Amino acid sequence: MLRAKDISIGYNSGTKHPLVLAQHINLNLVPGQLTAIIGPNGSGKSTLLNTLSGQLAPLAGMVEIQGQAILKLSNFAQAKTLALVLTKKEFSQHLSVLEFIELGRTPYTNWLGRLSAEDHQAVELAIKATQLTPLLDQKCGTLSDGQMQRVAIGRALAQDTPTVLLDEPTTHLDLAHKAQTLKLLKSLAKDHQKAVAYSTHDIDLALDIADQIICIHSGYINIGTPQEIIDSGIIGQMFQSDLVRFDNKTRRFSISD
Ligand code: ADP
Ligand code: MG
């Protein structure tokens, strides 16, 4: 389980005034639960994920994973407890899908990177869960966005961590592939009992599938079940505009006349 205790998120630019995006955040990511992080562009979704994953120090408070302060863990110990999926394509272009997924085992292998029987087993399980068998020999650079998204999730699964964080895993995907990716994330949580959190702009889909919603908006954070978030009216306020309207009943946005 990952726990944020009264954290403030943002950036210390070395000047007198740090950029504070949100304060006093308390949240838990628990096994079996899928959490969606929503909010307008620039509200701090990526910053929150980077802070929860230990890539970025909070301005105040602390993040604990499995009961330990995440920033006190070595990189290897962090990588055994938490996988962060950013799906940047650059460094993976020339690796085959299999090689890329095997990299998920790096925290467990020796310095030669040789895979043990247990490593191979974890890789196989990841391939099966993400249905990547037909693509294993293909170079990552030749994959579609949806396929690469699945490969990145496969690698996180091979890493076999109790917590998985993903930054916008459904961006650039068509609706069917968005649904497929979200179902996979839900299954990571439910069937593999992981704590899974992802950021997204697909608010309606998040309300359909997530167990917990974290809503960041103009320095405020609201956390609750989809129904609690809808009832709070925060979604309508988040995109205050004459152009879009959120209907609490249908849980969908529409463009105003
Ligand atoms: P989101 O993912 O919700 O679109 P981000 O977390 O990327 O938002 O960014 C939130 C705010 O923090 C933005 O105003 C952005 O300009 C700022 N920001 C992002 N990264 C840095 C950084 N490394 N240093 C300073 N400010 C940053
Ligand atoms: Mg972002």
Side-chain angles (χ1 to χ4, degrees):
M1 158 148 127
L2 186 146
R3 172 169 283 180
K5 290 177 162 174
D6 204 24
I7 61 168
S8 298
I9 59 168
Y11 299 91
N12 245 322
S13 48
T15 58
K16 261 196 208 147
H17 303 289
L19 172 64
V20 182
L21 295 169
Q23 289 175 288
H24 304 301
I25 306 168
N26 288 286
L27 62 89
N28 294 329
L29 303 182
V30 300
Q33 262 200 3
L34 178 62
T35 298
I37 301 170
I38 61 175
N41 282 325
S43 57
K45 300 180 295 298
S46 299
T47 306
L48 177 62
L49 283 170
N50 284 325
T51 310
L52 295 179
S53 67
Q55 305 292 304
L56 182 68
L59 298 175
M62 72 185 283
V63 176
E64 275 184 7
I65 188 151
Q66 316 295 105
Q68 289 176 294
I70 195 162
L71 291 177
K72 295 233 170 87
L73 296 178
S74 69
N75 287 346
F76 271 110
Q78 270 188 20
K80 285 179 184 172
T81 53
L82 182 142
L84 178 64
V85 180
L86 297 169
T87 46
K88 286 224 173 73
K89 271 187 153 185
E90 300 81 44
F91 72 97
S92 53
Q93 299 281 355
H94 300 291
L95 294 177
S96 73
V97 167
L98 179 61
E99 287 165 339
F100 187 74
I101 292 177
E102 285 178 347
L103 279 183
R105 297 304 295 172
T106 308
Y108 306 91
T109 54
N110 60 23
W111 61 274
L112 286 171
R114 204 167 281 152
L115 301 191
S116 68
E118 194 187 342
D119 293 321
H120 282 297
Q121 209 178 1
V123 168
E124 252 168 54
L125 201 124
I127 291 167
K128 224 168 142 194
T130 45
Q131 299 174 346
L132 284 168
T133 309
L135 298 180
L136 288 182
D137 295 328
Q138 213 164 308
K139 293 270 184 275
C140 290
T142 67
L143 299 176
S144 72
D145 288 341
Q147 289 170 329
M148 192 56 216
Q149 213 61 261
R150 230 172 345 128
V151 171
I153 294 170
R155 186 177 77 158
L157 198 50
Q159 202 176 322
D160 197 18
T161 55
T163 304
V164 180
L165 306 180
L166 309 95
D167 200 1
E168 298 203 19
T170 56
T171 300
H172 305 308
L173 302 185
D174 64 39
L175 192 55
H177 286 96
K178 278 181 206 272
Q180 191 184 48
T181 303
L182 292 180
K183 284 239 160 163
L184 181 55
L185 298 186
K186 187 83 175 180
S187 140
L188 286 194
K190 290 280 166 290
D191 305 334
H192 299 262
Q193 280 300 301
K194 294 176 189 296
V196 183
Y198 75 104
S199 64
T200 185
H201 286 288
D202 300 316
I203 293 175
D204 39 8
L205 298 181
L207 293 171
D208 285 346
I209 203 164
D211 303 296
Q212 174 173 249
I213 305 275
I214 297 172
C215 192
I216 315 183
H217 157 55
S218 327
Y220 292 97
I221 284 234
N222 291 62
I223 301 175
T225 62
Q227 195 59 53
E228 285 166 350
I229 292 293
I230 290 169
D231 292 344
S232 74
I234 188 76
I235 294 179
Q237 290 166 31
M238 212 163 51
F239 298 94
Q240 223 158 31
S241 154
D242 296 338
L243 296 176
V244 286
R245 199 179 37 206
F246 182 75
D247 183 333
N248 282 5
K249 280 214 185 75
T250 60
R251 297 176 157 209
R252 291 291 179 272
F253 286 94
S254 60
I255 297 176
S256 306
D257 303 328

